[in-house]
């Protein structure tokens, strides 16, 4: 029995060891999920679909319409009774008797009809159709801009989760280092080499770092949930297949991918500017549609009718065809209100285009400057990591030899910890700045998925703080 339990335990342990690790979420995967499921993208797609559907409405004044009619009527109205009898082709000489004409008996009539209506000239419908198509195009361009903006948000949330995880890792290392310094100080107190205040100060500093670690671990959990919500999640615990990496890409890899983004770039037509331009086209077409309501309308129609006292679509059929013209000379000032409103919307749309173009030019220059500054900060932070680590090592050796105070040692450790955290923040800022820069020039932030191509290990970026031997 004991042997059986041992074998079972070995099998269970081996199975656990051989289970494949959960797939790591890449930036490319996150982009695909956001395109499909992000709330903003789904809302924008719905709005664009609505505008596209509304573009079909003006076709009512362009395309033919066919309808089938069916009705039953029973009446003692003199005109209605006589007319129904005539439609049924059942008139007899007795129907012309004045008493019968004035006081007919109740008569029933089944009426059926097929009606074809063909608009011939409705200028407002044609121009309204053009305006609706431009509005649909504007909505699609706005949807594209929303998608690009959400991709920037995905970059921010994805690497924000990675940054939070790396920050927690760094602070765990800092806690180990702080506790080691505390143990070293306590040992030196016992040896009479330093005073008890050294050990107390080391303990206080270790507690501060532990508090930072607790905050970082909570931030990492929140960042993972924020990423899940950004990708269309419900805000609960993110699924296992949404685990992002725990380290940002190296500084060299970041520079290799985004270094060219700082050059002057005319870029492509931005989707938000395109949306505003197409909105102006829609407003212009709508203004012409409003003015066209003063023009005559010409429409034609044709119909077959059946009338029977016994059944629907029974009896002999009759047909009617015609053409009608109408001209609304004055409709109670409603046309004037429509024209003035459309003209005001055109003025507003023109201002929106000018504003979108001005904001785009500002965004291009601003993101270029921001990215250049981010890359400069990245280089400075990278040097600071190496310098602070060396300084910490030197002060630790001096403290070992009694040539430095514990305050100097703890300050050196703090500087090293802050430098490594600052380096991670600098890498994150450079990536986000690159995403915003690419959107600003009209390119796709999803191309930053090139950062997925290599392991995100950075030499010296997450080196544990110096721990005394």
């Amino acid at each position: 029995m004991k042997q059986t339990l041992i074998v079972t335990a070995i099998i269970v342990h081996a199975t656990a060891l051989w289970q494949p690790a959960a797939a790591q979420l890449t930036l490319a995967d996150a982009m695909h999920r956001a395109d499909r499921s992000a709330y903003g993208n789904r809302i924008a797609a719905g709005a664009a679909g609505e505008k596209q559907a509304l573009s079909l409405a003006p076709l009512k004044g362009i395309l033919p319409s066919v309808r089938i009619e069916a009705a039953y009527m029973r009446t003692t109205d003199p005109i209605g009774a006589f007319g129904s009898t005539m439609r049924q082709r059942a008139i007899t000489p007795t129907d012309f008797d004045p008493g019968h004409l004035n006081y007919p008996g109740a008569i029933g009539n089944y009426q059926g009809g097929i009606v074809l209506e063909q608009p011939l000239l409705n200028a407002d419908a044609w121009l309204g159709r053009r305006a609706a198509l431009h509005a649909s195009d504007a909505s699609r361009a706005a949807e594209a801009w929303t998608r690009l903006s959400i991709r920037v948000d995905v970059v921010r949330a994805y690497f924000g989760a990675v940054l939070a995880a790396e920050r927690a890792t760094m602070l765990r290392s800092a806690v180990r280092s702080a506790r080691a310094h505390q143990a070293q100080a306590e040992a030196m107190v016992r040896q009479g080499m330093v005073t008890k205040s050294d050990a107390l100060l080391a303990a206080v500093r270790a507690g501060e770092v532990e508090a930072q670690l607790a905050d970082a671990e909570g931030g990492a959990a929140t960042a993972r949930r924020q990423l899940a919500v950004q990708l269309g999640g419900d805000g609960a615990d993110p699924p296992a297949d949404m685990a992002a990496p725990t380290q940002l890409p190296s500084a060299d890899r970041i520079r290799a991918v985004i270094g060219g983004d700082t050059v002057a770039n005319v870029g492509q037509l931005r989707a938000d500017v395109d949306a505003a331009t197409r909105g102006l086209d829609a407003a212009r077409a709508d203004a012409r549609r409003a003015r066209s309501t003063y023009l005559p309308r010409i429409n034609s129609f044709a119909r077959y009718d059946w009338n029977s006292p016994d059944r629907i679509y029974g009896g002999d059929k009759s047909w009617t065809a015609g053409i009608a013209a109408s001209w609304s000379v004055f409709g109670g000032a409603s046309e004037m209100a429509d024209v003035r409103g459309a003209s005001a919307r055109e003025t507003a749309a023109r201002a929106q285009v000018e504003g979108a173009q001005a904001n785009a030019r500002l965004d291009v220059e601003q993101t270029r400057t921001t990215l250049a500054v981010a890359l400069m900060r990245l280089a400075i932070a990278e040097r600071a990591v190496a310098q602070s680590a060396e300084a910490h090592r030197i002060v630790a050796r001096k403290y070992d030899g009694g040539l430095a105070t514990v305050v100097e040692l703890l300050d050196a450790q703090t500087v090293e910890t802050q430098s490594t955290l600052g380096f991670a923040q600098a890498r994150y800022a450079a990536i986000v700045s690159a995403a915003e820069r690419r959107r600003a020039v009209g390119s796709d932030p999803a191309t930053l998925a090139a950062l997925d191509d290599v392991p995100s290990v950075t030499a010296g970026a997450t080196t544990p703080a110096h721990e005394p031997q």
Side-chain angles (χ1 to χ4, degrees), residues 308-331:
S308 170
D310 303 318
R311 59 188 178 85
I312 195 168
Y313 296 106
D316 294 330
K317 65 178 179 291
S318 61
W319 61 268
T320 307
I323 187 170
S326 63
W327 190 1
S328 178
V329 179
F330 183 73

Side-chain angles (χ1 to χ4, degrees), residues 202-333:
V204 170
R205 186 60 57 86
E208 292 175 352
V209 178
E210 286 181 342
Q212 293 179 17
L213 173 59
D215 179 70
E217 289 176 338
T222 299
R224 289 193 299 271
R225 290 187 175 90
Q226 289 174 340
L227 174 60
V229 171
Q230 187 66 52
L231 302 185
D234 59 2
D237 290 336
D241 63 345
M242 205 172 286
T246 57
Q247 252 187 326
L248 291 165
S250 68
D252 290 339
R253 181 58 181 169
I254 292 172
R255 282 189 285 263
V257 172
I258 72 175
D261 292 342
T262 56
V263 300
N265 191 339
V266 177
Q268 308 169 24
L269 176 63
R270 289 183 15 157
D272 60 333
V273 177
D274 187 30
T277 303
R278 293 177 183 274
L280 176 58
D281 293 338
R284 286 171 175 165
D286 189 59
R288 290 193 291 269
R289 175 210 56 80
R291 291 190 293 269
S292 72
T293 56
Y294 288 106
L295 298 176
R297 296 181 177 87
I298 302 176
N299 299 286
S300 62
F301 67 94
R303 62 181 298 149
Y304 273 109
D305 290 290
W306 291 264
N307 292 272
S308 170
D310 303 318
R311 59 188 178 85
I312 195 168
Y313 296 106
D316 294 330
K317 65 178 179 291
S318 61
W319 61 268
T320 307
I323 187 170
S326 63
W327 190 1
S328 178
V329 179
F330 183 73

Side-chain angles (χ1 to χ4, degrees), residues 35-101:
D35 288 345
R36 183 177 64 253
S37 304
Y39 296 112
N41 282 335
R42 287 153 56 190
I43 293 170
E50 179 188 13
K51 287 293 186 182
Q52 187 175 18
L54 290 176
S55 68
L56 300 175
L59 292 177
K60 182 178 181 180
I62 300 173
L63 299 179
S65 62
V66 179
R67 69 176 184 272
I68 298 176
E69 299 177 349
Y72 175 76
M73 178 184 69
R74 188 169 180 81
T75 182
T76 59
D77 174 67
I79 295 177
F82 189 78
S84 295
T85 304
M86 289 187 67
R87 289 190 180 96
Q88 295 170 6
R89 292 174 171 80
I91 292 292
T92 63
T94 58
D95 292 319
F96 292 95
D97 176 69
H100 184 75
L101 286 172

Side-chain angles (χ1 to χ4, degrees), residues 107-170:
I107 183 172
N109 182 56
Y110 289 93
Q111 182 181 12
I114 299 177
V115 184
L116 169 67
E117 295 177 342
Q118 173 62 65
L120 298 179
L121 179 59
N122 291 304
D124 58 331
W126 286 95
L127 293 172
R129 168 67 171 170
R130 183 176 300 175
L133 288 174
H134 285 310
S136 177
D137 292 340
S139 184
R140 287 299 178 191
E143 179 191 6
W145 180 250
T146 298
R147 185 179 300 108
L148 289 180
S149 298
I150 287 178
R151 286 177 179 175
V152 173
D153 294 338
V154 169
V155 170
R156 187 179 290 109
Y158 177 84
F159 286 108
V162 178
L163 172 65
E166 183 170 335
R167 182 171 181 264
T169 300
M170 291 175 178

